[in-house]
Each structure stands twice: as C-alpha cells, then as structure tokens.
Amino acid sequence: MRIATWNVNSLKIRLPRVEEWLAYAEPDVLCMQETKLADSAFPAMAFQTLGYEAVYCGQGQWNGVAILSRVGLKDVVAGFSDQADDEVVEARLLWATCGGVRVGSVYVPNGRSVGSEHYEAKLVWLARLRRHIESSYDPNEPLIVCGDYNVAPTDDDAWDPSKLHGATHVSPPEREAVGALLDWGLVDTFRTLRPETGIYSWWDYRAGDFHEGRGLRIDLALATKPLAERATFALIDRNARKGKQPSDHAPMVIDFDP
DNA sequence: ATGGTAGCGCTGCTA
C-alpha cells in the first residue's frame, strides 16, 4: 500500500501536475493540502477518471485539505473532535479510512513569525491535534497522519540550522508540539527509513532556494508503530518540484507491506 | 542581500 502526501498550493493551478504525478507514482492514497478550492469547485471527476475516490474539506481562497483513495474511503470526518457545530474553523483537517488504515490529512497553520499571534495559534492548533488523536485513536491501531506540519522536526531537517536560529518552523516550542505527537505513539516514517541529512520537502519560491538547496523537511507522515513497522520504502519526489509551475512542496511517498 | 516569488483576485493578503 502506497500512501502519499503533497501540499499542492492551489489544486486549480496544480491539477495537471497532480494528474500527471498520480499516473506516474500510482499512490493508493494521496493526502493533499492547500487545495485553495471551495468544495463546489473540487475536481472530483478528474480523479474519478484516474480511479480515485475523493473527499475534501475546502473554504475557497485559502487552506483546504483532501484525501484521494483507490482502496476505499470510509468514515469521513472533517475537523477536530471537540469542535462545536457553530465554531468557525479553517479547512485544515480531514480524516478517512482507506484500505483498513485510518488516514489524516493535516495542514498546520504557518505561524508566520516566532512570537506572533499566528505562531501562538499554531502551537494551540498542534496541541489540539494531539488531544484529538489521543481521544479518538489508539496507538495500537493502524493510523497515519500525513501533511504539511510547517515544522522541521530536527536540525537534520533544515538546510542551515545556524541561519535559521530563532526562525519559525524550527523553534523549540514547535518541535516540542510535534514531539508530543511522537510521545503519544506516532513515528516519523520517512526519517526511520531515510536517516541521511539534506532531504527536504519544501523550498521557498524566492531567491532560487530550490536550486540552491535551501529547503526544509516539513511535510511528514506520522504513523502508529504497528503501521510504521510495515513501512518498506520512503521517497520525497524532488522531480515534482522542478519544471513549469511547480508547487513549493514536493510530494512524499511511503510504501507499506500488507 | 531585512531581499526575493507564487497564488488569489484586483488590493494587499498569505505563504
């Protein structure tokens, strides 16, 4: 079973590249983030043609998450478990069961700059995610929470830790918030299979960061141990960050034994 | 180098 995650940065603009990549990589499940589409505009038909069912949680202009699956799509839930019906929340969280695995597609708030109100909101969001997972799931069941965490878990996940000191995505509180997910029982599947440094999933569009190798590994696939132990292969597809109109993120693939 | 680019949507925001 191949599970993938990709922050597509506008599915409207990226649809041709996503279609091309699905045909090439053939994931069984693809979690997407930053679709930037209202649900009424989601191109479900295009994915159906390629053999994928789709669920999506969008809000238009910003955010938006989705899950594609060709191994079933059941028990779909959007948002947090403690969300009130009248609470206005951004479209950043979606769950579904695909081929016996509980899958989450998450788009963690960016945080903008350390100490800003957006940064504080990011930490609150991550703590709420931890509570949601803790109250809804069991570390002994097959669960994978994929997406753009906007956190590089360790210095090995950043191009130059010394230049990033004090910056967002690498601060200790953000890393502790991701660490709390690992403490509950999730495993960073990519890092387990790929211990080498210098592998990133996001590069700023500006200043030629991609070609200069200035990236961060902020797209993660965190799985419970019973599932993580079945992981056999992990790849971040840098080729999908090249060429015409790429997303600023590359897709990541994890393969699991049955 | 306190810059730079992309997307949304039409002015300046978000990333």
mmCIF file of all heavy atoms in Angstrom, chain A residues 47 96 110 153 172 185 191:
data_model
loop_
_atom_site.group_PDB
_atom_site.id
_atom_site.type_symbol
_atom_site.label_atom_id
_atom_site.label_comp_id
_atom_site.label_asym_id
_atom_site.label_seq_id
_atom_site.Cartn_x
_atom_site.Cartn_y
_atom_site.Cartn_z
ATOM 1 N N PHE A 47 -10.321 13.065 -10.875
ATOM 2 C CA PHE A 47 -9.690 11.995 -10.097
ATOM 3 C C PHE A 47 -10.427 10.677 -10.274
ATOM 4 O O PHE A 47 -9.807 9.614 -10.283
ATOM 5 C CB PHE A 47 -9.599 12.405 -8.629
ATOM 6 C CG PHE A 47 -8.742 13.614 -8.409
ATOM 7 C CD1 PHE A 47 -9.223 14.724 -7.744
ATOM 8 C CD2 PHE A 47 -7.429 13.649 -8.884
ATOM 9 C CE1 PHE A 47 -8.432 15.842 -7.557
ATOM 10 C CE2 PHE A 47 -6.623 14.767 -8.697
ATOM 11 C CZ PHE A 47 -7.133 15.866 -8.034
ATOM 12 N N ALA A 96 -10.211 9.961 7.072
ATOM 13 C CA ALA A 96 -10.967 8.908 6.373
ATOM 14 C C ALA A 96 -10.227 7.593 6.560
ATOM 15 O O ALA A 96 -9.027 7.572 6.842
ATOM 16 C CB ALA A 96 -11.083 9.230 4.886
ATOM 17 N N ASN A 110 0.689 28.165 9.491
ATOM 18 C CA ASN A 110 2.081 28.534 9.196
ATOM 19 C C ASN A 110 2.805 29.145 10.394
ATOM 20 O O ASN A 110 3.975 28.859 10.624
ATOM 21 C CB ASN A 110 2.095 29.485 7.996
ATOM 22 C CG ASN A 110 3.482 29.956 7.629
ATOM 23 O OD1 ASN A 110 4.035 30.816 8.308
ATOM 24 N ND2 ASN A 110 4.054 29.370 6.599
ATOM 25 N N PRO A 153 11.275 18.861 12.157
ATOM 26 C CA PRO A 153 11.380 18.246 13.495
ATOM 27 C C PRO A 153 12.755 18.371 14.152
ATOM 28 O O PRO A 153 12.836 18.491 15.374
ATOM 29 C CB PRO A 153 11.019 16.783 13.240
ATOM 30 C CG PRO A 153 10.186 16.796 12.008
ATOM 31 C CD PRO A 153 10.736 17.903 11.158
ATOM 32 N N PRO A 172 12.091 25.598 19.300
ATOM 33 C CA PRO A 172 11.850 24.510 20.257
ATOM 34 C C PRO A 172 10.372 24.274 20.587
ATOM 35 O O PRO A 172 9.941 23.117 20.595
ATOM 36 C CB PRO A 172 12.660 24.952 21.488
ATOM 37 C CG PRO A 172 13.796 25.737 20.909
ATOM 38 C CD PRO A 172 13.204 26.475 19.739
ATOM 39 N N GLY A 185 2.766 8.127 20.428
ATOM 40 C CA GLY A 185 2.950 6.819 19.793
ATOM 41 C C GLY A 185 3.063 6.878 18.277
ATOM 42 O O GLY A 185 2.957 5.859 17.605
ATOM 43 N N ARG A 191 11.744 9.495 8.244
ATOM 44 C CA ARG A 191 13.056 9.584 8.895
ATOM 45 C C ARG A 191 13.561 8.207 9.321
ATOM 46 O O ARG A 191 14.772 7.941 9.283
ATOM 47 C CB ARG A 191 12.959 10.531 10.094
ATOM 48 C CG ARG A 191 14.261 10.870 10.718
ATOM 49 C CD ARG A 191 15.314 11.231 9.695
ATOM 50 N NE ARG A 191 15.463 12.641 9.400
ATOM 51 C CZ ARG A 191 16.076 13.079 8.282
ATOM 52 N NH1 ARG A 191 16.528 12.238 7.375
ATOM 53 N NH2 ARG A 191 16.214 14.371 8.074
#
